[in-house]
Amino acid sequence: MVENSATSNLVYVYDLEDGWIEARLVEQSGADAQVELEVDGKKQICKVDLKQYPDQVLPLQNVDENGKLVPVEDMVDLPYLHEAAILYNLKDRHVRCLPYTRTGDICIAVNPYMWMDDLYSEDTRERYAKHYVYSGQASNIDPLAPHVYETSSLSFRGLVFDNTNQSILVSGESGAGKTETVKILMRHLASLSGLSDEGNESARVVKKVLDSNPLLEAFGNAKTMRNDNSSRFGKYIQLQFSNTTTSPLQVNCSLAGSMCETYLLEKSRVVGHTNGERSYHIFYQLLGAPDDYKRNLWSGLANTDVESFNYVGYTDTHSIEGLTDAERWPKTVASLAQVGVEGETLRELMKSICVVLQLGNLVFEPDPDNEDNSVITSDTELDALADLMGVSNELLSKSLTIRTMTARTEVYKVPLNATAAKDGCDALAKEVYSKMFDWLVGAINKATSSNNAKSRIGLLDIFGFESFEVNRFEQLCINYANEKLQQKFTMDIFRSVQEEYEFEGIELADVTFSDNSDVLNLVEGRMGIIAVLNEECVRPRGNDVAFVSKVYTMNKENVTLIVDKFHRDYEFGINHYAGPVVYDSNQFVQKNMDTLPTDLLECVKQSSNSLMCNEFSKKAPEPAAKKKTASRRTSNSLVSQTVWTKFKTQLVSLMENISSTRTRYIRCIKPNQQKKPKVMEPISTVEQLRCAGVVAAVTISRSAFPNRLSHHVTLEKFASLCSSKVVEYHKEEMKEDEDYIEDVNKMLSVLLKPFEDINKGSQSFVCGKTKVYFRAGALEYLEQERINAMAHRVIVIQRIVRGYFERSKIYIL
């Protein structure tokens, strides 16, 4: 840009409170600029340091001649595509109750916090199905308004006509609408599979698949501070289809079944939750069941409510999404019956839930005779639990307060203090609930899966990137999963850019992107965090501080490991793709082990509850590789059972599964913390856009050519800067984009010659088949020249008009 120039460019300026704010560039000199801002209704001139902005250029606004924002449905069409432009475009659409926006193949879904019937009506579903599935035309011809129905329709089309398995990855923070979006997708995909007769077999399959989703919500969802119906686990639902389609006129692809895989259930919520939150919905539904049912299930459940059990406790929330817990109970029972869980099986499942509740009522205190030992002082509660489990009072008491230790050939008993005994009790409660959850997922899969399915569409509903004031083991697992998904996302975006450039006839050599392989190597490498933590778990007296020390020692060359002298000895930091996160390693070793003591395990195996007994009697998977020595076999066996190792194995399998499909992305955004319609908080929205990888996608797509305009728009805006000998443009002459290429090339070669000289001759633009692609700073330079030219012409016009009026005065005299 030209130095010391007065301008009227409309730009964005970064602000700590509002993210990006609108401004007018008044003057620029070198790396400093002055902008005009509106503060509290008054205009102010502020100084801006351009060194803090990419290429030392303020991001331009996408506005018309009157300075009014020009919103778009597909943000790829924004002439100036950057973080501020994305934010303001989403905000404009959100205020106008348009929750969906497209960025290439990515669908950005902003939670509207209101249900819009027309947006999800049967007519809308059919319209998207006809356009994207049954029309037979290319999907990019006259696209409909952005919608998740577009994503599901294109996935179904790819499955049916391309014979390619599909995946839709839905991500976002708690409260962003992931779970609801997945339900909308499932219903639409079910309707696409050609269901017209409610009594046919396909309709029954669809009903069973859709009815299984509330079960996962009942047992895996809970109220949090951010969301009343928050999924506390990740899930990958594979909808199975039988496809015999031959043409768009002969679509025969019906839903045959479904399979569900789950990840990282939040077990800690079973035994405690913060004020204002709740535990899992099923506890409240069971306690809200009719008194007759509760009394017949277990006498200890008669006349009880949420305050009767410590793990649940008081809550001021008694309804979720318009239904009370008591109203949801019969719906949950009916859904369980749909997947074959009824009669005695249902009774044992609910008794297992009662075991979890009752474990929280046990009270452990120091033994009066020896404070290093413990006793259970709540005799009545202990008797009730023993009766419920079908084990003796003595066996249960000893299992909870004494540990059996083995050292080579010697076996001995070690009494536990009150704190350790309570921890063991909580561990048992978490393990019982986790086993029942996994069993239920297996029961759902058994009832809904099909052996005749030939193709599938996977729906991944997984927790987004997390960064809190205190980040623990769970956040590291979640962020590791997001790093793996971000790697896949980045490569998919790169491929889409490659396809665009090839179509436009542009060289791809200059496209660059940020690779997160250093972060993944730090976490999962041979000497990475997973390996170090697993080794610390099998080492005698392994602890969290030693784990952190070894991580730093073994990975000091990794640039993504944050070294900060102010970190405590149990803290470490990682520079993730979405930003730096500091982790508190307290209880990392304990949480990674996640093994139930032998005494408690043997106690549960003797329970009269056959469901619990069978689940706890199942053998753990054999280690992947057996070693020759006994010591190595023991070590490998322990490592193979850690939470990290299990989760990594699951994640590798998930990524292999997704990589074999055509993947599409939906990024859910939570616009505000108050859950109010038509309100968007800029800072939190920008952070979510970064965490969702949307900003990274923009960076990749615009790394070589940040700005782009269609050929006729380029001529319309800048032809006035050229002599008519170079190019002559008439707005009324409508041509095809290809017909403008020669004129645009001639015009820009002349206009951008000074800019290229300043930048040492590097090419400042490329003409594609349909668009002109500008390098960083080139379009801003042209805009500056246009404004300067217009200012000069205004002065000339003013001179002529003023001269006319002055001459008129003389003639009158």
Side-chain angles (χ1 to χ4, degrees):
M1 297 180 72
V2 179
E3 294 188 357
N4 299 313
S5 59
T7 74
S8 58
N9 281 352
L10 295 177
V11 296
Y12 294 108
V13 178
Y14 186 72
D15 182 76
L16 291 175
E17 293 183 2
D18 295 318
W20 292 95
I21 55 177
E22 296 168 308
R24 184 174 69 85
L25 181 61
V26 176
E27 186 177 355
Q28 178 178 332
S29 178
D32 294 322
Q34 288 189 345
V35 297
E36 183 183 71
L37 304 172
E38 188 172 311
V39 181
D40 298 328
K42 297 180 180 179
K43 292 184 177 180
Q44 296 181 4
I45 302 295
C46 299
K47 186 177 179 180
V48 176
D49 182 5
L50 296 179
K51 293 178 182 177
Q52 299 178 5
Y53 295 83
D55 301 309
Q56 297 189 23
V57 174
L58 292 173
L60 294 173
Q61 297 181 28
N62 294 287
V63 294
D64 58 18
E65 309 83 45
N66 301 315
K68 186 178 179 182
L69 181 72
V70 181
V72 296
E73 293 182 339
D74 190 337
M75 291 194 288
V76 168
D77 296 331
L78 287 171
Y80 310 108
L81 182 54
H82 41 70
E83 187 176 278
I86 294 172
L87 175 65
Y88 274 81
N89 194 73
L90 290 177
K91 182 179 179 181
D92 179 88
R93 292 178 62 77
H94 177 62
V95 170
R96 292 188 289 126
C97 297
L98 299 171
Y100 301 116
T101 307
R102 205 184 288 116
T103 303
D105 285 342
I106 309 166
C107 176
I108 300 176
V110 180
N111 195 334
Y113 292 118
M114 58 190 292
W115 185 261
M116 292 171 276
D117 290 333
D118 291 344
L119 199 61
Y120 306 104
S121 65
E122 185 174 346
D123 288 342
T124 304
R125 288 200 299 268
E126 290 180 358
R127 185 155 47 89
Y128 278 83
K130 287 178 181 177
H131 184 84
Y132 289 108
V133 180
Y134 305 114
S135 67
Q137 66 183 15
S139 60
N140 59 351
I141 297 177
D142 297 325
L144 300 179
H147 202 298
V148 289
Y149 287 166
E150 177 185 1
T151 307
S152 50
S153 296
L154 289 175
S155 293
F156 189 77
R157 176 186 177 129
L159 184 83
V160 171
F161 300 120
D162 299 336
N163 290 319
T164 303
N165 290 327
Q166 308 282 311
S167 287
I168 303 174
L169 274 55
V170 183
S171 65
E173 72 170 45
S174 179
K178 299 189 300 296
T179 300
E180 193 61 40
T181 298
V182 168
K183 288 192 284 188
I184 292 169
L185 289 168
M186 286 181 67
R187 285 193 289 267
H188 190 225
L189 287 167
S191 70
L192 285 170
S193 56
L195 304 173
S196 56
D197 180 8
E198 288 294 324
N200 65 26
E201 180 61 28
S202 293
R204 284 191 288 272
V205 171
V206 170
K207 178 173 174 53
K208 187 177 289 188
V209 169
L210 295 181
D211 285 353
S212 68
N213 201 57
L215 282 182
L216 294 173
E217 291 187 19
F219 284 80
N221 287 24
K223 178 186 184 295
T224 66
M225 297 300 290
R226 299 180 176 185
N227 183 7
D228 286 352
N229 190 30
S230 175
S231 296
R232 308 315 299 161
F233 66 104
K235 61 177 178 286
Y236 184 53
I237 302 173
Q238 297 184 65
L239 300 180
Q240 303 168 322
F241 293 85
S242 57
N243 182 13
T244 57
T245 297
T246 56
S247 72
L249 300 176
Q250 185 75 35
V251 176
N252 186 8
C253 182
S254 59
L255 185 63
S258 71
M259 281 285 290
C260 180
E261 296 177 31
T262 60
Y263 309 90
L264 287 181
L265 177 71
E266 186 186 23
K267 293 198 284 187
S268 58
R269 186 168 292 271
V270 174
V271 298
H273 50 83
T274 59
N275 292 332
E277 297 191 347
R278 304 202 319 176
S279 188
Y280 290 104
H281 295 328
I282 189 61
F283 293 125
Y284 303 88
Q285 293 177 14
L286 177 58
L287 292 170
D291 285 334
D292 288 344
Y293 179 86
K294 294 194 313 188
R295 188 178 295 105
N296 290 332
L297 179 66
W298 174 48
S299 59
L301 207 58
N303 302 316
T304 58
D305 57 25
V306 292
E307 295 186 67
S308 303
F309 298 96
N310 295 329
Y311 283 160
V312 181
Y314 169 78
T315 179
D316 57 0
T317 302
H318 301 287
S319 66
I320 301 295
E321 297 181 349
L323 290 177
T324 66
D325 298 311
E327 290 169 337
R328 286 194 180 276
W329 167 252
K331 295 179 180 296
T332 298
V333 172
S335 295
L336 286 166
Q338 281 279 330
V339 296
V341 181
E342 51 190 342
E344 189 59 28
T345 305
L346 173 64
R347 185 177 177 84
E348 292 198 332
L349 175 63
M350 291 306 154
K351 277 191 171 185
S352 301
I353 301 300
C354 291
V355 168
V356 175
L357 289 171
Q358 187 63 14
L359 280 166
N361 286 359
L362 299 184
V363 178
F364 297 85
E365 294 183 0
D367 190 336
D369 298 329
N370 185 347
E371 290 191 353
D372 291 335
N373 299 353
S374 60
V375 293
I376 300 174
T377 56
S378 50
D379 293 335
T380 304
E381 304 288 0
L382 178 64
D383 291 341
L385 179 59
D387 177 64
L388 177 62
M389 292 180 63
V391 297
S392 69
N393 183 307
E394 181 182 5
L395 174 63
L396 182 58
S397 178
K398 286 183 177 180
S399 299
L400 289 166
T401 59
I402 297 174
R403 282 293 166 272
T404 300
M405 308 297 290
T406 304
R408 295 186 180 180
T409 59
E410 186 180 355
V411 177
Y412 56 95
K413 304 286 185 180
V414 178
L416 302 176
N417 60 36
T419 301
K422 174 60 177 171
D423 289 343
C425 178
D426 290 345
L428 177 59
K430 290 187 287 187
E431 192 63 17
V432 170
Y433 192 83
S434 176
K435 294 280 189 186
M436 294 304 102
F437 181 79
D438 290 342
W439 175 85
L440 178 62
V441 172
I444 293 172
N445 287 339
K446 184 178 180 181
T448 60
S449 63
S450 170
N451 295 325
N452 300 319
K454 296 182 179 180
S455 50
R456 67 182 189 277
I457 298 178
L459 303 175
L460 181 65
D461 172 4
I462 200 162
F463 15 65
F465 184 86
E466 292 187 350
S467 179
F468 304 128
E469 286 188 17
V470 179
N471 299 285
R472 303 194 185 279
F473 181 79
E474 293 80 7
Q475 277 69 55
L476 183 56
C477 291
I478 287 170
N479 292 343
Y480 166 52
N482 276 274
E483 288 286 357
K484 295 288 285 186
L485 292 169
Q486 180 64 19
Q487 186 181 50
K488 173 77 167 69
F489 176 70
T490 300
M491 292 309 300
D492 285 348
I493 297 300
F494 180 79
R495 274 192 288 269
S496 70
V497 173
Q498 186 178 27
E499 290 171 2
E500 178 189 355
Y501 280 23
E502 286 176 354
F503 172 78
E504 293 283 348
I506 298 174
E507 291 292 332
L508 193 69
D510 292 329
V511 178
T512 59
F513 59 91
S514 178
D515 184 13
N516 65 343
S517 58
D518 284 342
V519 180
L520 290 172
N521 187 55
L522 173 63
V523 177
E524 64 182 10
R526 192 171 62 89
M527 305 298 287
I529 291 172
I530 295 177
V532 173
L533 183 58
N534 283 341
E535 285 301 317
E536 199 63 21
C537 287
V538 300
R539 187 177 71 85
R541 297 183 182 179
N543 61 83
D544 303 316
V545 173
F547 154 68
V548 172
S549 176
K550 290 177 182 177
V551 167
Y552 276 110
T553 301
M554 297 179 178
N555 297 276
K556 54 188 175 184
E557 301 298 326
N558 193 306
V559 294
T560 59
L561 182 64
I562 299 173
V563 179
D564 191 328
K565 62 182 179 181
F566 294 107
H567 284 170
R568 297 177 179 88
D569 57 2
Y570 55 81
E571 292 179 329
F572 65 96
I574 300 176
N575 272 313
H576 289 284
Y577 75 90
V581 179
V582 176
Y583 295 96
D584 182 330
S585 72
N586 282 316
Q587 295 189 315
F588 263 47
V589 172
Q590 179 184 339
K591 288 181 178 180
N592 191 43
M593 290 288 288
D594 197 35
T595 53
L596 201 64
T598 305
D599 303 83
L600 292 174
L601 185 60
E602 292 301 322
C603 177
V604 178
K605 287 181 180 179
Q606 296 184 40
S607 172
S608 61
N609 185 321
S610 61
L611 183 57
M612 284 175 51
C613 181
N614 291 338
E615 290 305 301
F616 277 82
S617 297
K618 289 181 179 178
K619 291 184 179 180
E622 289 291 325
K626 296 183 178 182
K627 304 295 180 181
K628 294 181 179 180
T629 63
S631 61
R632 289 299 296 171
R633 278 201 302 269
T634 303
S635 174
N636 285 326
S637 180
L638 288 171
V639 168
S640 70
Q641 296 173 19
T642 65
V643 172
W644 259 123
T645 305
K646 292 176 186 176
F647 181 54
K648 182 183 176 183
T649 302
Q650 275 189 308
L651 200 53
V652 168
S653 175
L654 173 66
M655 296 311 299
E656 288 176 351
N657 205 332
I658 291 174
S659 296
S660 66
T661 66
R662 166 63 165 92
T663 311
R664 303 178 194 276
Y665 298 89
I666 298 176
R667 297 312 202 211
C668 297
I669 302 295
K670 182 178 183 178
N672 63 77
Q673 300 299 320
Q674 294 75 35
K675 305 174 186 176
K676 292 181 179 178
K678 301 183 180 182
V679 175
M680 179 170 283
E681 296 172 351
I683 291 291
S684 65
T685 302
V686 167
E687 289 175 352
Q688 290 176 72
L689 289 170
R690 290 172 185 160
C691 293
V694 175
V695 175
V698 169
T699 302
I700 295 170
S701 64
R702 299 292 176 101
S703 61
F705 302 99
N707 305 311
R708 55 197 69 178
L709 293 173
S710 64
H711 294 132
H712 75 274
V713 170
T714 305
L715 279 170
E716 184 179 337
K717 292 188 76 170
F718 304 117
S720 61
L721 300 178
C722 263
S723 163
S724 58
K725 294 180 181 179
V726 177
V727 60
E728 190 169 349
Y729 172 71
H730 300 286
K731 187 174 181 179
E732 61 274 9
E733 291 183 9
M734 300 302 294
K735 303 179 184 178
E736 295 296 327
D737 281 326
E738 290 81 356
D739 298 330
Y740 289 118
I741 294 178
E742 185 178 350
D743 290 340
V744 171
N745 250 320
K746 284 169 32 180
M747 179 188 73
L748 292 180
S749 296
V750 172
L751 294 180
L752 288 172
K753 182 69 166 59
F755 178 82
E756 291 178 353
D757 291 341
I758 294 171
N759 290 276
K760 300 179 180 178
S762 62
Q763 188 180 17
S764 56
F765 74 95
V766 174
C767 279
K769 291 180 181 178
T770 63
K771 297 184 185 77
V772 185
Y773 292 76
F774 296 91
R775 292 200 186 277
L779 189 55
E780 290 84 353
Y781 171 82
L782 288 175
E783 290 284 3
Q784 179 66 60
E785 291 298 302
R786 188 169 74 99
I787 290 169
N788 291 343
M790 289 173 66
H792 174 72
R793 287 166 186 171
V794 167
I795 292 172
V796 172
I797 293 171
Q798 287 176 336
R799 176 173 58 80
I800 295 171
V801 172
R802 285 170 180 167
Y804 170 78
F805 281 117
E806 290 300 321
R807 286 190 295 274
S808 297
K809 291 177 184 177
I810 294 172
Y811 292 150
I812 291 173
L813 292 175

